[in-house]
Amino acid sequence: MMCLESYVRVVLGSAMNDSQKSKPSGKGPAPARDHLDSMVSMASKASAAADGTTQTIIPFLSIIKASIPTSVRQGVLTPSFCVVAQGTKKFYLGREIVRYGAGNYLAALIDMPSAGQIVGATKTEPYLGIRMDLSQEETASVAMDAKLNMNMRPGTKRSAGVFVGRTDPDVLEALVRLLRLLDKPQDAAFLAASIKREIIYRLLMGADGRFFFQNTVADSQTLALGRSIKWLKENFDRDLVIEELAKSSNMSVSSLRHKFKVVTTMGPLQYQKHLRLQEARRLLLGGTVDATTAALKVGYESPSQFSREYRRLFGLPPLKDLKLIRQGTAISDLQD
């Protein structure tokens, strides 16, 4: 398997040394820089005054803003494409840590438990990310309608189900047009969907198109894995019998475990555990249940085991974690 860090080195340039990698990567050609400047202006206008995620009038488009660096935040990335317009971020997947900035994008092709941290953000130049929700069906539809040949080259290893790449100027230009629709609600209702398809098409046609495509519809086992992940999301509170999950996906147990490890960097049981803990945290933040009730609701039989695993994932026991979140010194979710 080509690990995430190795793949990102290929995409962003293997010649970068450690000091170069610490700099935002938005100093590309003038057209790309101009597009990024436009995106910063429009995203700043569209985002809320406070830090956080702003859902725009376009259902699949949101703006992420942070005026100060954040602590590491855990979450589950849903299928999406997020371009950094301004600022710098670190992404954690398994043992890999990738730093990326303006002009780069992160693509999540399946639901991925992971962690991120905004490291480059100030009040005068806040971190700004443009997030577009995606689905396997949309990506497959564009590839099919455009009659694209997305076969991987012989010998190419599959990467994890999330990766960082450099955004092509054509994609940036289409994103600028999409953001302009925020001032024209009637136009947005009619044109946004077609621009989204254009963005997907240009992503598929770009230098990273095959990597972007491979974990969505590249083969029958990938589709089967998607069904397994969907089942786990909908039934995270149920006991997992790995043999039954493999059978329902028409895969052997060893094949399912291997595929899970390649694409999500973890096994099915660990994946389910992440989903359970994320849901428990959401329930606790709602303020209607205590830690013991939340643990039972998400499938734990032992409150003490729940507390240990919660602390292992989030760094603090439930009550202390929630206190920091409510004080605004921790981030409760991962958006991009």
Side-chain angles (χ1 to χ4, degrees), residues 44-104:
S44 298
K45 180 181 177 182
S47 61
D51 288 358
T53 301
T54 301
Q55 176 61 57
T56 71
I57 62 169
I58 299 173
F60 58 80
L61 190 72
S62 54
I63 311 294
I64 298 93
K65 175 185 174 183
S67 57
I68 58 173
T70 68
S71 57
V72 177
R73 47 187 180 178
Q74 300 280 347
V76 178
L77 277 170
T78 54
S80 57
F81 161 72
C82 183
V83 175
V84 178
Q86 181 170 268
T88 315
K89 189 168 184 180
K90 283 184 179 178
F91 179 74
Y92 301 78
L93 182 65
R95 297 179 180 178
E96 307 292 348
I97 303 175
V98 180
R99 183 168 181 149
Y100 60 103
N104 297 141

Side-chain angles (χ1 to χ4, degrees), residues 61-327:
L61 190 72
S62 54
I63 311 294
I64 298 93
K65 175 185 174 183
S67 57
I68 58 173
T70 68
S71 57
V72 177
R73 47 187 180 178
Q74 300 280 347
V76 178
L77 277 170
T78 54
S80 57
F81 161 72
C82 183
V83 175
V84 178
Q86 181 170 268
T88 315
K89 189 168 184 180
K90 283 184 179 178
F91 179 74
Y92 301 78
L93 182 65
R95 297 179 180 178
E96 307 292 348
I97 303 175
V98 180
R99 183 168 181 149
Y100 60 103
N104 297 141
Y105 70 85
L106 182 143
L109 309 176
I110 59 172
D111 295 277
M112 290 286 294
S114 51
Q117 178 183 17
I118 294 170
V119 294
T122 65
K123 290 184 178 181
T124 55
E125 293 188 357
Y127 170 90
L128 291 168
I130 317 298
R131 175 190 160 100
M132 188 177 80
D133 296 329
L134 293 174
S135 71
Q136 292 181 330
E137 292 77 13
E138 288 173 314
T139 304
S141 173
V142 170
M144 183 175 64
D145 292 348
K147 297 180 173 59
L148 302 180
N149 177 11
M150 302 308 301
N151 293 329
M152 297 298 290
R153 296 184 180 89
T156 302
K157 302 295 184 181
R158 294 192 181 281
S159 65
V162 59
F163 68 93
V164 173
R166 188 181 298 281
T167 317
D168 293 338
D170 287 343
V171 175
L172 294 175
E173 191 272 335
L175 279 168
V176 169
R177 284 188 280 114
L178 186 63
L179 287 168
R180 285 178 181 148
L181 294 179
L182 297 178
D183 290 330
K184 302 175 180 179
Q186 185 171 346
D187 290 354
F190 184 74
L191 296 174
S194 61
I195 296 179
K196 181 180 185 179
R197 282 178 61 84
E198 178 189 347
I199 290 171
I200 296 171
Y201 169 79
R202 295 197 179 281
L203 285 168
L204 292 172
M205 289 294 289
D208 308 320
R210 286 179 170 81
F211 287 97
F212 185 84
F213 184 79
Q214 65 168 286
N215 286 319
T216 53
V217 291
D219 59 31
S220 59
Q221 282 200 345
T222 295
L223 292 173
L225 181 64
R227 289 193 293 271
S228 297
I229 288 173
K230 183 174 185 292
W231 187 91
L232 286 172
K233 284 183 64 181
E234 295 173 350
N235 301 278
F236 59 82
D237 57 339
R238 294 174 55 183
D239 290 338
L240 173 60
V241 179
I242 191 67
E243 291 79 8
E244 293 181 3
L245 186 64
K247 184 178 179 181
S248 68
S249 303
N250 295 316
M251 300 169 70
S252 67
V253 171
S254 60
S255 180
L256 178 65
R257 283 176 171 155
H258 173 73
K259 195 73 175 180
F260 243 94
K261 189 69 173 178
V262 169
V263 176
T264 71
T265 74
M266 62 185 69
L269 287 170
Q270 187 181 6
Y271 186 95
Q272 183 191 50
K273 184 190 298 183
H274 275 252
L275 294 179
R276 284 181 170 182
L277 293 170
Q278 293 291 346
E279 175 62 13
R281 199 186 201 198
R282 188 191 68 80
L283 290 172
L284 290 169
L285 282 169
T288 58
V289 300
D290 58 20
T292 299
T293 303
L296 295 173
K297 279 182 173 291
V298 300
Y300 279 91
E301 296 181 359
S302 167
S304 60
Q305 181 188 5
F306 165 73
S307 183
R308 286 195 304 272
E309 294 186 351
Y310 189 104
R311 181 170 187 165
R312 191 174 299 129
L313 180 61
F314 298 117
L316 291 170
L319 295 182
K320 288 186 178 180
D321 179 48
L322 295 179
K323 182 179 179 180
L324 288 180
I325 291 172
R326 288 168 178 151
Q327 289 175 345

